[in-house]
Amino acid sequence: MGAGKSTLGPELADRLGRPFVSVDALVEERAGKSVSEVFAERGEAAFRVLEEEIASEVLGRRALSVVELGGGALGSVWTRTALALNAFSVYLETTPEEAWDRVARVAGSERPLARDEAAFRALFGERAPLYDEVADGRARDLDGVVLVAAGVQIGSGVLDRLAELVPGAGAVGVVADVTVSDLYGEVVRAGLGDRLAGESQVPAGEVAKSIAEAERLWLGLRLERGATLLALGGGSTIDVAGFVAATYLRGIAWVPVPTTLVAQVDAAIGGKTAVDLPEAKNLVGAFHWPAETVIDTTLLETLPDEEWRNGLAEVVKTGLLVGEPLWELDTPPQVRRCAAIKAAICLRDPHEQRDREQLNLGHTFAHALEAASGYTVSHGRAVALGLLAALQLSGLDGEALAVSEILAPDPVAVDRDAAWAALRRDKKTRDGQIRLVLLDAPGNPRVTSDVEPDRVRAALDALIA
Ligand SMILES: NC(=O)c1ccc[n+]([C@@H]2O[C@H](COP(=O)([O-])OP(=O)(O)OC[C@H]3O[C@@H](n4cnc5c(N)ncnc54)[C@H](O)[C@@H]3O)[C@@H](O)[C@H]2O)c1
């Protein structure tokens, strides 16, 4: 009561593209009167019977929705069981002071159980253990709810708690970028304790994303079905290790621990995994949602400048998609906000049937440049260039100028025909038509096949030195 569910619930439903269902509102609809009137005329026991009946109906529905349960609904063992079986439950945390302040200020007289502060505090204390029992995650704000729902943990020093943060109790095999292993391998191994079941290393950078590296990892793994693979490194390590986890023994659980800005704001979220083929990037892969993603922004302290710039390109992409200057934020809030934005889009459309396509803003061009360079051009630099092409084709020249000032990407020296051939093999192509993500305005992306190939080619050529 007073945690802010009624405000946050509809916003969350909107973010996730799901209907919002308030059990209290349905009680009022069925009873034909307000909750206070039901309490006053029929008593709390009768209200709880009706609440339990409606909660059971709502939690038994197959359609995915965001459900708001009243503060006292967890008094019912049936409702607690239905939550355990059918729902992901987020405990929206608040202090008794904040909660009382909110109910007293906003709607004190409307709430039958919030008329006296001492009684309210006592009830708060009584209910807390029930919330603890059912909570799959805890959050204090909207981004926090999205992040726990997507299985993303962000904090500093989280590596020390890896044994606890990797779901389950089984063995954990580690796949680490060789450079990152030198820096953080020891902390990760110590954090996993008895659960550690061997470490394999992959070379630093994009070269790790090959079928040959995947095969080497498959052959070296000694894990059973119930085990988890932990990926330690940037987007390259995470993409290949995630792909190996998706395919080894027909799929085992995995946990990315991203160590670059690119990976913390983007690659480690949402379960897209892949390796490259010489013809085109990410051509072989799988959707395989991580069991948990563990992000510690202090790992970025050792990141070289060039990798910061690469990460900034994905931050700018995310900022353009939502119309917020995210590049101006300090690193911890920047990572959290970008991760929450990506997590919401991926929860809404995990298999990229619709909304998730927007995350490819600038990437059709970027992937073509990377493939044409034999994967020697970094992903971040290619994305920075790709954003310029997308903005120019969107008619947003002012934004293109601003982005080129923030990211200052130099054109790349690659073969123009090879880049064009790679672009035409982009995964989004349908019926031979190139599909691009453009912006009507910052915050308003759209996917289109309407740009003439000549204009696309000219925009691509403009990125090549
Ligand atoms: N799956 C997705 O949704 C997704 C999203 C975005 C990008 N990606 C992919 O991610 C890849 C790019 O990943 P990236 O930019 O993270 O680069 P990367 O993984 O290739 O790493 C870049 C370099 O940084 C080093 N490094 C990593 N962490 C470090 C640290 N903490 N300190 C010092 N050095 C460190 C690495 O050793 C490497 O040399 C691309 O292949 C791209 O396609 C995937």
Side-chain angles (χ1 to χ4, degrees):
M1 218 188 325
K5 300 184 296 294
S6 314
T7 311
L8 190 142
E11 288 170 9
L12 177 66
D14 190 45
R15 279 261 211 89
L16 300 184
R18 293 176 188 176
F20 174 67
V21 181
S22 157
V23 169
D24 271 2
L26 289 179
V27 166
E28 293 188 332
E29 201 180 295
R30 182 117 4 132
K33 47 190 74 163
S34 72
V35 167
S36 316
E37 285 165 344
V38 178
F39 258 75
E41 291 168 23
R42 291 157 58 181
E44 179 171 354
F47 169 80
R48 295 290 171 211
V49 169
L50 193 54
E51 181 185 53
E52 182 182 81
E53 190 182 305
I54 289 171
S56 147
E57 272 172 40
V58 166
L59 293 171
R61 288 179 191 163
R62 292 179 68 87
L64 293 173
S65 26
V66 172
V67 177
E68 177 200 0
L69 276 178
L74 297 192
S76 153
V77 67
W78 291 105
T79 302
R80 296 203 298 278
T81 309
L83 283 173
L85 292 174
N86 300 336
F88 184 90
S89 305
V90 181
Y91 177 9
L92 193 55
E93 287 183 313
T94 182
T95 61
E97 292 71 29
E98 284 168 338
W100 172 252
D101 188 50
R102 209 174 275 130
V103 292
R105 190 163 33 85
V106 181
S109 61
E110 290 295 309
R111 295 184 192 237
L113 297 178
R115 295 197 174 126
D116 165 75
E117 185 171 352
F120 178 85
R121 282 171 170 274
L123 197 58
F124 195 98
E126 271 166 40
R127 287 175 173 179
L130 297 177
Y131 299 154
D132 280 336
E133 184 189 319
V134 301
D136 295 303
R138 294 155 174 276
R140 298 188 64 90
D141 62 8
L142 186 53
D143 281 349
V145 178
V146 171
L147 289 167
V148 292
V152 181
Q153 297 268 353
I154 306 187
S156 66
V158 274
L159 294 197
D160 298 339
R161 296 193 290 122
L162 275 176
E164 172 200 325
L165 292 176
V166 173
V172 182
V174 174
V175 171
D177 170 311
V178 63
T179 309
V180 177
S181 180
D182 280 349
L183 292 165
Y184 303 109
E186 196 51 55
V187 190
V188 167
R189 288 189 289 274
L192 287 171
D194 294 349
R195 295 187 67 184
L196 177 68
E199 177 179 320
S200 315
Q201 294 185 348
V202 289
E206 191 77 25
V207 283
K209 285 179 60 172
S210 70
I211 283 289
E213 281 301 325
E215 184 179 22
R216 211 178 48 76
L217 292 171
W218 287 321
L219 292 171
L221 289 179
R222 297 284 178 275
L223 295 175
E224 296 178 356
R225 273 256 170 83
T228 303
L229 197 66
L230 184 146
L232 177 70
S236 302
T237 308
I238 283 171
D239 275 5
V240 65
F243 176 62
V244 165
T247 44
Y248 186 70
L249 303 180
R250 298 204 177 91
I252 60 171
W254 76 296
V255 170
V257 179
T259 63
T260 61
L261 186 58
V262 167
Q264 296 198 347
V265 300
D266 198 337
I269 320 272
K272 261 201 202 176
T273 72
V275 292
D276 303 328
L277 294 187
E279 290 75 12
K281 203 174 145 76
N282 295 339
L283 217 49
V284 177
F287 289 99
H288 190 42
W289 200 283
E292 198 74 43
T293 298
V294 180
I295 299 180
D296 183 342
T297 51
T298 61
L299 302 186
L300 303 178
E301 282 163 14
T302 49
L303 207 57
D305 287 352
E306 192 196 338
E307 300 305 334
W308 278 103
R309 271 197 303 281
N310 287 336
L312 196 58
E314 299 284 13
V315 171
V316 169
K317 174 196 80 176
T318 310
L320 288 169
L321 287 174
V322 294
E324 293 173 27
L326 300 175
W327 49 89
E328 291 173 5
L329 297 176
D330 290 339
T331 302
Q334 183 180 71
V335 166
R336 186 174 191 268
R337 182 84 186 109
C338 288
I341 290 166
K342 178 158 186 199
I345 294 170
C346 296
L347 284 172
R348 209 151 76 204
D349 179 22
H351 296 105
E352 198 163 314
Q353 305 293 308
R354 308 174 305 277
D355 303 1
R356 190 170 178 168
E357 258 190 316
Q358 66 179 265
L359 293 170
N360 290 306
L361 180 70
H363 281 56
T364 309
F365 296 95
H367 289 168
L369 297 174
E370 290 179 78
S373 76
Y375 303 109
T376 54
V377 168
S378 75
H379 180 67
R381 180 170 168 209
V383 168
L385 288 166
L387 290 174
L388 295 182
L391 288 168
Q392 185 251 316
L393 288 173
S394 302
L396 297 173
D397 295 336
E399 281 75 7
L401 195 63
V403 167
S404 93
E405 271 167 23
I406 298 166
L407 299 173
D410 289 330
V412 290
V414 298
D415 182 83
R416 285 163 197 265
D417 292 334
W420 180 241
L423 190 147
R424 301 221 58 142
R425 285 205 70 176
D426 183 76
K427 292 182 296 311
K428 290 184 299 310
T429 302
R430 286 199 202 146
D431 302 328
Q433 301 268 65
I434 300 165
R435 285 158 62 77
L436 293 176
V437 184
L438 300 183
L439 295 174
D440 286 330
N444 277 329
R446 73 186 151 93
V447 180
T448 175
S449 316
D450 289 346
V451 188
E452 304 84 54
D454 286 354
R455 289 187 63 216
V456 179
R457 171 100 203 220
L460 178 68
D461 280 347
L463 310 175
I464 299 174

